[in-house]
Amino acid sequence: MARPVLPAACLVALGALALLRGVAFVAAPGQEQVPALRGQDVVAKSGVAATAAYASAAAVVPMPAEAALSEKQWNSFGQVFAIFFLFFWVAGFVRLLTLGRL
């Protein structure tokens, strides 16, 4: 099964290398001035209104829901759970020690 796939995979890899032969990681320097930072072109090309729209949209979005439980409710649940867990842990540890075989 692997033998017919191997030549096809090699051909695909060679074709990809042939297509990417002229591509460089860094483009050659051009004549036009490109902004150094990604956000500069938004502000430079009358993007002030778009920036203000994004900021107002982010301010209006509601906070994520807390899954119907407040922090106080989670804290009280944690205290009850800790006592419950401690009881079973102590019961298991006493059983372990009373068996006589460690």
Side-chain angles (χ1 to χ4, degrees):
M1 171 112 184
R3 290 186 182 245
V5 175
L6 185 61
C10 288
L11 286 174
V12 169
L14 286 174
L17 284 175
L19 288 175
L20 297 174
R21 183 179 51 159
V23 177
F25 287 105
V26 179
Q31 296 296 339
E32 72 178 53
Q33 185 70 12
V34 179
L37 299 176
R38 287 183 280 178
Q40 286 179 343
D41 58 346
V42 174
V43 177
K45 295 180 181 174
S46 68
V48 177
T51 305
Y54 288 135
S56 64
V60 175
V61 173
M63 295 296 291
E66 292 184 6
L69 291 177
S70 67
E71 188 174 351
K72 183 177 184 281
Q73 290 172 325
W74 277 114
N75 287 338
S76 59
F77 168 75
Q79 289 175 346
V80 172
F81 182 78
I83 293 169
F84 183 77
F85 181 78
L86 179 67
F87 170 75
F88 277 98
W89 190 87
V90 169
F93 194 61
V94 167
R95 170 120 170 105
L96 177 83
L97 292 177
T98 57
L99 280 177
R101 314 174 266 161
L102 291 176

